[in-house]
């Protein structure tokens, strides 16, 4: 029963790639006394009024039906709709020169053909504003509901490159160039980007790491598994970011007519199912598990690389950005493990003989009530931080707390923690992995 409840919660986390929210990418230039911006973006989401900061999948928004209608429009019709929407969008754009406000004017909107309506369509919108005589710097940003903007300065030495989210305004950008971040600044800036793509956006990677955790919540096997996984995905992330895996996409596109990442994503889902299923039947690390985890780590690295491909890395500080992103990923993985370890720490102590039964019942009762309260209240600040309704994360945790109470209740049975916490949780993770595999392969 409880595994079924966990399964319902986890399957709602399934990332639907067809309606995935991706960053907008903007190129800034100065041409004939005008500052111009050319932005590749999903304009359907803008017109539909979807808040892209609080939404990771357009299917989950209240405006999903409107978005789907817009997605099916012919290019000229959608372009006309955007032109009508532009005055509203322009009000959400902040553009200044040396602190003085500029008024952006739409100069072009290019919309790709309809194509496969189950795939995100990118359009290019361009706008400009005249610069005051002698202007030295420009700042640009837009409202948080328009989502992440990767802003790149073009055609100048040491160009500015910024990752703007949650309505952030860029630093003053020197029009003559020289606003490029240092290697250290780039490294620091990309750590939260990597972390964000684990928590809360990397739901499949979160489940894989939890699959590693539930095999054995002991330090040595956990360190071995996480270390192998980390080394492997670092290798493929670096190779892909440097362009050394491009031949794989060329091969699959040319031979099978399918993007390589569309093969990788189902395999990542299958890796989640495998490690979870092995947890059910194995009490410790099997002779083959380290090799399997390493191979799966290579796959997950390609998945991380697809995220980087959405917005690219600055050429001049490429290495610093790549390392910063990878550090953020590792911190995110460790945060997932730390949270789950704290959640089961008390039941593990009791399972290993600690005389703390009353304390355990009290602790998990309080945690369960807190999780249920968060689900009921669904606080806006937490929704914004998680980019999802609170119950999608608090629900599974509540399930773990109930399982922990059950393990304490039946503590006299052999391997109570494994049988009543680790195995049911692994069952739920395995079914979700299989569901995602089917969804990504056939649906």
């Amino acid at each position: 029963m409880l595994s079924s409840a966990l399964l319902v919660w986890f399957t709602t986390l399934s990332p639907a790639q067809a309606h995935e929210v991706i960053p907008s990418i903007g190129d800034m230039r100065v041409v004939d006394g005008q500052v111009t911006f050319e932005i590749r973006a999903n304009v359907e989401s803008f017109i539909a009024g979807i808040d892209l900061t609080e939404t990771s999948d357009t299917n989950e928004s209240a405006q999903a039906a409107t978005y789907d209608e817009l997605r099916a429009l012919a290019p000229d019709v959608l372009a006309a709709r955007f032109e009508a929407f532009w005055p509203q969008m322009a009000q959400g754009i902040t553009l200044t020169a040396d602190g003085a406000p500029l008024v952006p004017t739409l100069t072009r909107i290019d919309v790709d053909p309809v194509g496969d309506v189950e795939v995100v369509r990118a359009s290019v919108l361009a706008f400009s504003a005249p610069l005051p005589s002698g202007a030295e710097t420009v700042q640009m940003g837009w409202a948080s509901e328009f989502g992440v903007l990767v802003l790149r300065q073009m055609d100048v030495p040491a160009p500015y490159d910024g990752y703007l989210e949650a309505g952030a305004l860029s630093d003053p950008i020197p029009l003559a160039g020289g606003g490029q971040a240092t290697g250290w600044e780039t490294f620091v800036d990309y750590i939260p980007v990597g972390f964000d793509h684990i928590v809360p956006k990397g739901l499949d990677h979160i489940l894989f790491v939890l699959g590693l955790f539930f095999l054995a919540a002991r330090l040595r096997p956990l360190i071995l598994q996480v270390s192998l996984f980390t080394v492997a995905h670092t290798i493929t992330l670096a190779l892909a970011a440097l362009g050394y895996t491009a031949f794989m996409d060329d091969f699959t596109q040319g031979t099978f007519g399918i993007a390589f990442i569309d093969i990788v994503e189902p395999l990542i889902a299958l890796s989640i199912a495998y490690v979870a299923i092995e947890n059910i039947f194995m009490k410790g690390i099997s002779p083959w598990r380290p090799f399997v985890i390493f191979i799966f780590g290579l796959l997950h690295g390609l998945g991380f690389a697809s995220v980087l491909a959405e917005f690219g890395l600055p050429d001049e500080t490429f290495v610093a950005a790549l390392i910063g992103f990878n550090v953020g990923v590792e911190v995110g993985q460790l945060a997932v493990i730390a949270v789950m370890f704290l959640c089961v720490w008390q039941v593990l102590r009791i399972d290993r003989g600690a005389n703390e039964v009353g304390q355990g019942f009290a602790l998990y009762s309080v945690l369960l009530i807190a999780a249920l309260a968060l689900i009921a209240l669904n606080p806006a600040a937490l929704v914004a931080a998680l980019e999802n309704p609170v119950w999608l994360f608090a629900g599974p945790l509540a399930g773990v707390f109930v399982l922990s109470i059950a393990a304490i209740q039946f503590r006299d049975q052999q391997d109570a923690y494994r049988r009543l916490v680790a195995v049911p949780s692994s069952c739920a993770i395995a079914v979700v992995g299989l569901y995602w595999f089917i969804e990504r392969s056939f649906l």
Side-chain angles (χ1 to χ4, degrees):
M1 173 72 88
L2 191 52
S3 293
S4 299
L6 286 169
L7 174 59
V8 170
W9 278 318
F10 275 128
T11 51
T12 60
L13 296 173
S14 175
Q17 296 176 4
H19 297 80
E20 181 183 6
V21 172
I22 60 176
S24 300
I25 301 177
D27 293 337
M28 185 191 97
R29 292 179 171 86
V30 175
V31 181
D32 297 331
Q34 303 245 346
V35 60
T36 68
F37 295 86
E38 187 175 278
I39 299 179
R40 188 166 182 82
N42 177 221
V43 300
E44 289 94 336
S45 58
F46 296 161
I47 302 171
I50 297 173
D51 189 329
L52 299 181
T53 294
E54 297 186 359
T55 303
S56 58
D57 188 314
T58 60
N59 272 341
E60 298 169 358
S61 72
Q63 299 83 11
T66 302
Y67 173 89
D68 289 340
E69 292 173 5
L70 292 166
R71 178 61 186 85
L73 293 179
D76 57 339
V77 178
L78 182 61
R81 289 286 296 273
F82 182 79
E83 289 172 354
F85 169 75
W86 170 253
Q88 179 180 338
M89 182 170 184
Q91 292 179 2
I93 295 176
T94 300
L95 183 59
T96 66
D98 296 335
L102 303 178
V103 179
T105 300
L106 182 68
T107 58
R108 188 174 97 251
I109 172 68
D110 297 330
V111 180
D112 285 350
V114 175
D116 184 355
V117 296
E118 293 303 315
V119 176
V120 173
R121 171 168 57 178
S123 302
V124 176
L125 63 106
F127 59 87
S128 65
L131 287 167
S133 177
E136 295 182 354
T137 64
V138 165
Q139 284 183 281
M140 189 270 179
W142 62 19
S144 62
E145 58 263 31
F146 298 145
V148 172
L149 172 64
V150 177
L151 183 59
R152 308 180 297 193
Q153 187 180 20
M154 311 299 288
D155 305 333
V156 296
Y160 169 87
D161 189 291
Y163 186 89
L164 310 177
E165 56 183 341
L169 186 66
S170 73
D171 295 329
I173 305 171
L175 295 175
Q180 182 183 83
T182 65
W184 173 254
E185 290 171 336
T186 301
F187 169 77
V188 172
D189 287 344
Y190 272 82
I191 290 176
V193 177
F195 183 90
D196 188 57
H197 283 85
I198 293 294
V199 182
K201 293 179 179 177
L203 300 172
D204 45 3
H205 302 297
I206 288 174
L207 287 191
F208 185 85
V209 171
L210 290 178
L212 301 183
F213 175 84
F214 281 119
L215 173 68
R218 293 184 180 276
L219 193 59
R220 184 175 178 180
L222 189 57
I223 288 177
L224 173 62
Q225 294 179 90
V226 173
S227 297
L228 286 170
F229 180 64
T230 297
V231 170
H233 75 63
T234 299
I235 291 172
T236 45
L237 173 59
L239 290 175
L242 291 168
Y244 293 127
T245 61
F247 74 92
M248 298 181 184
D249 193 57
D250 294 338
F251 173 76
T252 57
Q253 289 276 18
T255 306
F256 307 109
I258 184 173
F260 182 60
I261 190 61
D262 292 332
I263 298 175
V264 169
E265 290 293 342
L267 292 177
I268 287 176
L270 204 57
S271 74
I272 296 168
Y274 176 86
V275 295
I277 290 171
E278 191 174 36
N279 292 351
I280 299 169
F281 298 101
M282 303 293 294
K283 290 187 178 182
I285 294 182
S286 63
W288 57 85
R289 186 168 173 116
F291 300 100
V292 173
I293 289 174
F294 187 83
I295 292 171
F296 288 158
L298 297 176
L299 289 173
H300 282 251
L302 294 171
F304 293 137
S306 72
V307 170
L308 284 180
E310 293 175 357
F311 51 86
L313 293 173
D315 292 337
E316 293 77 5
T317 52
F318 176 87
V319 174
L322 180 61
I323 295 173
F325 181 86
N326 202 48
V327 168
V329 167
E330 303 317 317
V331 173
Q333 292 176 171
L334 292 175
V336 170
I337 291 172
V339 168
M340 188 52 66
F341 180 77
L342 290 173
C343 287
V344 301
W345 173 74
Q346 183 64 71
V347 68
L348 278 170
R349 282 180 54 82
I350 294 172
D351 187 61
R352 293 168 184 172
N355 186 21
E356 300 169 349
V357 174
Q359 177 178 314
F361 279 131
L363 174 63
Y364 287 115
S365 296
V366 170
L367 290 174
L368 177 59
I369 292 170
L372 295 176
L374 286 174
I375 293 170
L377 295 173
N378 199 37
L382 201 50
V383 171
L386 297 175
E387 301 180 13
N388 279 294
V390 174
W391 67 269
L392 289 176
F393 288 88
L397 287 178
V400 170
F401 300 147
V402 172
L403 291 172
S404 297
I405 291 172
I408 295 174
Q409 178 66 38
F410 297 99
R411 61 193 177 278
D412 293 333
Q413 297 185 14
Q414 186 176 8
D415 293 332
Y417 165 78
R418 180 179 181 276
R419 292 173 55 249
L420 297 175
V421 179
V423 169
S425 297
S426 295
C427 287
I429 292 172
V431 177
V432 173
L434 291 172
Y435 171 79
W436 282 348
F437 172 72
I438 294 171
E439 180 194 48
R440 297 176 184 186
S441 300
F442 308 109
L443 302 183

